[in-house]
Every structure is written in structure tokens, then in C-alpha cells.
Amino acid sequence: MENIVVTIARQIGSGGYDLAKSIAERFNFKLIDRELIIHTAEILKTDVSYLEKKEEKVTSLIESILSVFSIGTPEVGSLSNNTYPDDKEIFETQSKVLKSFAEQHNIVALGRGSFFIFKDYPKHLSIFLKANLDYRVKNISKEFNMDRDQAIELIKKTDEARNQYIKKMTGLNRCDLRNYDIVIDLSSVNFELAKNFIFDIINYEFFKNGGSK
């Protein structure tokens, strides 16, 4: 029997991790986030910190932006592409790792082009979370202890980086809503309502008996 895959693409500050965690806890699915980086680094025999910089995460962006605003955080130096895997090799390896997880578990995969990787997978529900700027700024400011200008800059740079990354790796526009089964604006819909709606969809699509196989 094929396992279930829920993929969540999101705008930074829209609540994607919280939703992924809620789904994983409610259905006892495996949440794939940092573990993917660790496994990929092991396969490619490279540093986890390098992969965190290269992929669509915001770690180095935060450091860079804080440096620009003279907070005192040093900007991370670049690593030589001559001795480290490139974007394509990383993406292909992560794709294989994600698929290997899906062979063993029901999973929730957060970002990293997972909506594309599993696009032809039979038991796949793809979700995209968006929100207006004020909602995202509020969340980013709280999470990273930033002021409004810093949060807006981080949002702008992260959106650009993620869009470019997905376009480069898949040829698709990450914000084309036709790529997803469900699109939710969490600045317009209460999180609890959105979460319960997703729970109902997963139950309906994959568990025909109120959550029991």
C-alpha cells in the first residue's frame, strides 16, 4: 500500500511550519524538514551548513540582512563551488531522499520543491499557504526579533530566492496556484479553521473511516 504524502509550499511568515507540525501530530505522519538536510549532506559528503545556505531556507538571508542594518552579525562567507555540490545535484539528491522517506512513512514535506517532486504521486495532497504583507511582517518580526523594515527586507529577499530556486530546479513558477490542490490565505482565514479544514480533507481523501484505514 502506498504511503500518504502531504506537501506544503509557503510564503515566509505565513505559518507553514505550524501547519506541517499540526498535520504530523494529528495523523502521526513523519515531518520532513531538517532531517532532509542531514541525510542529503551525508550522501553528498558535504557540510549541513553549506546546504542550509544553498537551499531555500532563510538562515544566511537573516544574517545578511541583520548585517546590512548594522546589528553586528557577520555576513556568512561564500564557499567554493569547485569543491561543493551545485544546486542541481543537491535538488536531485534531496528528491531521492524525500522519495525514500515516502516509501517508508506517511510524510509531511515542507518546501524544497516537494510539490513538484511528488506531482505524479497517487496519494499526494499539495498545499500552498499565502498571507498579506502585514500578517507576514508581524510573524517574522516576532520570530526573528526584527523591526518592520528588517522583516520586509527579509520577506522580499526570501521570496525572490525561493522563486528563483524553484524556477531553476523545476521550470515552474512557485506562486502559480495551479500547481497546488489547496491554497489558503492565512491572513484571511483563522489558523484553527484552516487547520481543521486540512484535517477534514486528509480524512476524506485518504481515510474513509474518520481517520482509520
Side-chain angles (χ1 to χ4, degrees), residues 15-116:
Y17 180 81
D18 291 338
L19 179 62
K21 183 179 179 183
S22 295
I23 293 170
E25 291 175 348
R26 168 64 177 81
F27 295 99
N28 196 27
F29 289 2
K30 187 174 184 62
L31 174 56
I32 310 300
D33 189 25
R34 183 172 172 78
E35 191 173 354
L36 174 61
I37 305 173
I38 295 171
H39 279 260
T40 302
E42 290 175 353
I43 292 171
L44 294 176
K45 302 186 187 307
T46 191
D47 301 328
V48 170
S49 59
Y50 174 73
L51 296 187
E52 287 179 331
K53 284 185 62 181
K54 291 292 287 181
E55 63 161 20
E56 59 167 352
K57 290 180 75 67
V58 302
T59 305
S60 60
L61 286 172
I62 293 170
E63 293 170 335
S64 174
I65 288 164
L66 290 177
S67 177
V68 168
F69 281 92
S70 302
I71 301 300
T73 303
E75 187 167 358
V76 176
S78 61
L79 296 171
S80 171
N81 285 331
N82 294 327
T83 57
Y84 287 85
D86 61 19
D87 288 339
K88 183 177 181 181
E89 187 175 3
I90 294 169
F91 183 78
E92 290 176 350
T93 303
Q94 287 187 335
S95 298
K96 292 175 182 177
V97 172
L98 278 171
K99 289 177 180 178
S100 71
F101 277 124
E103 289 175 358
Q104 303 172 58
H105 311 276
N106 296 321
I107 68 171
V108 183
L110 193 61
R112 301 179 180 90
S114 54
F115 76 92
F116 174 81

Side-chain angles (χ1 to χ4, degrees), residues 1 14 30-31 46 56 60 69 73 80 96 98 108 117 120 126 129-130 133 145 148 153-154 159 162 176 192 200 204:
M1 180 178 294
S14 64
K30 187 174 184 62
L31 174 56
T46 191
E56 59 167 352
S60 60
F69 281 92
T73 303
S80 171
K96 292 175 182 177
L98 278 171
V108 183
I117 293 166
D120 297 320
S126 58
L129 297 183
K130 60 189 290 290
L133 181 61
N145 192 27
R148 181 176 176 83
E153 184 71 8
L154 177 59
D159 283 348
R162 287 179 173 174
D176 185 341
E192 288 298 313
D200 287 344
Y204 180 80

